[in-house]
Amino acid sequence: MTDATLGYGDTRDREQHELAPDGHPGLDRAGNELYHALRLGTLLSLVGDLSSPAAPLFVLDAGCGEGSFARALARCGHQVDAFDASEEAVERARAAGGGPHYARARLDAWRSPWPYDVVLCIDVLFHLLDDPEWSAALRNLASLVRLTGQLILTDEDRTGPRKRDDHTLHRPTAAYRAELEPLGLRHTEFRPYGFRESEVGFHVFTRTR
């Protein structure tokens, strides 16, 4: 992750902390509460209720920010690893506690001795403007998903790229499929956030081989 991306991430984390954890700086507190609740509800429905105290799902939250999604998944009984490139975000996530194991790492650098049932990357990949950096991050996340497991990431469901601002590039769904399908992950669903005018949603890829 480039220095510019890291700097933007730290600034964004400070702005969001003034409103709601892992929120959107363009929304007030009430808007952020709704935004977070809608995303969390959709995410939990995608992950499903497949865990038990004897066999919890093993989940990775990549680019976890201040850890609000990681903590919610831990409360549902899942075993959660979470990491972020921002030291400031990781420190706040650790201070909040709640069960996940937190670390600092880049998306393309996280390693695990075991595969995950679910790998999440929420509202991060479209902030990677450099295509090789984006590709390396995506391929590394794919390598962490077990057979029949899910890679759940967020972007718009587009037919072509769209750069919104100096820190946001939405890539077409076909670009994600071109990276992930040769690695054995099949695109199985797109579910939009359904929040105001946002076109972002959850892309679900399932490992089939």
Side-chain angles (χ1 to χ4, degrees), residues 40-48 191:
L40 177 58
T42 302
L43 176 61
L44 292 176
S45 70
L46 290 171
V47 171
R191 195 175 300 183

Side-chain angles (χ1 to χ4, degrees), residues 65-82:
E66 296 183 17
S68 58
F69 292 108
R71 288 190 295 276
L73 289 161
R75 289 195 299 270
C76 290
H78 304 306
Q79 183 176 339
V80 183
D81 285 345

Side-chain angles (χ1 to χ4, degrees), residues 1-77:
M1 189 171 289
T2 63
D3 290 340
T5 304
L6 281 171
Y8 166 67
D10 286 335
T11 301
R12 182 192 59 197
D13 290 333
R14 285 192 294 271
E15 291 173 342
Q16 291 173 355
H17 186 68
E18 296 303 316
L19 296 167
D22 302 317
H24 191 292
L27 299 172
D28 60 15
R29 182 170 296 276
N32 266 293
E33 291 289 349
L34 177 58
Y35 181 56
H36 178 72
L38 285 171
R39 289 184 300 163
L40 177 58
T42 302
L43 176 61
L44 292 176
S45 70
L46 290 171
V47 171
D49 183 20
L50 302 177
S51 66
S52 70
L57 288 178
F58 195 27
V59 180
L60 174 65
D61 186 357
C64 66
E66 296 183 17
S68 58
F69 292 108
R71 288 190 295 276
L73 289 161
R75 289 195 299 270
C76 290

